[in-house]
Amino acid sequence: VAIDITDRKQAENNLIEQSRRVELLQKTANDANNAVSFDEALRACLASVAEHTGWPVGHAYILSPEDHNTLVSSGIWHINDPERFSEFVDTSEAVTFHSGIGLPGRVLQSGEPAWIVDVAKDENFIRGTLIQNIGVCGAFAFPVLAGNKVVAVLEFFNETAGEVDETLLATVAHAGGQLGRVFNREQNENEIRLARDAAEAATKA
């Protein structure tokens, strides 16, 4: 009987977790559809994933306009205690990541989500060498894909180590695809606006 109760409780927990992941996907999809800009969509997604996971730090890197093999900070964060993580934020703002380097660069290179159980034990987590007391431990990141191109990377950090959650990574990968559609929409709108401005300038010439 005890085993049956345990199995039933585990099944209930699994259903609850599955429901929460579906809610996350629905929320990120709605936020993406309603966002008036790519930046707004990034902020909303950072907040939703942070709320879902309970992880205190979320940050977005975007492609450098000068070098599409390099990520730079977007300046967009979701942090539950800015003062506590101020040194980590300042360092992350200052560092750029080439393809394959660091957690963001790893995701840029692969186009796939990545998980770090403990950043202190990851030789490729270069921010750990720049800060004496980094203040974070577990980490994961996922790409924003516009077609097959990574246009941004969202990263999240926890103060404790955490085992790899493949189901969560699959969920946020879908969210990254939703954000990619916002990027494409904004790019198309910018191109249409530029073409219209050029046409208007030509008629006045």
Side-chain angles (χ1 to χ4, degrees), residues 38 42 45-46 49 59-63 71 103-115 140-156 168-181 183:
F38 184 53
L42 290 175
C45 189
L46 286 173
V49 175
H59 176 223
Y61 277 98
I62 56 174
L63 282 183
L71 292 164
L103 176 59
R106 195 180 315 174
V107 175
L108 174 62
Q109 183 180 62
S110 69
E112 300 286 343
W115 190 288
F140 71 90
F142 64 92
V144 175
L145 290 171
N148 294 322
K149 180 182 179 182
V150 177
V151 296
V153 172
L154 274 62
E155 58 177 9
F156 296 84
L168 175 61
L169 291 183
T171 302
V172 294
H174 283 292
Q178 294 162 349
L179 289 172
R181 288 192 283 275
F183 177 87

Side-chain angles (χ1 to χ4, degrees), residues 4 15 21 23 35 38-39 46 61 87 116 132 164 175 190 201:
D4 289 342
L15 284 173
R21 296 201 196 286
E23 288 176 3
F38 184 53
D39 283 358
L46 286 173
Y61 277 98
E87 188 175 6
I116 301 176
Q132 186 171 8
V164 179
N190 289 339

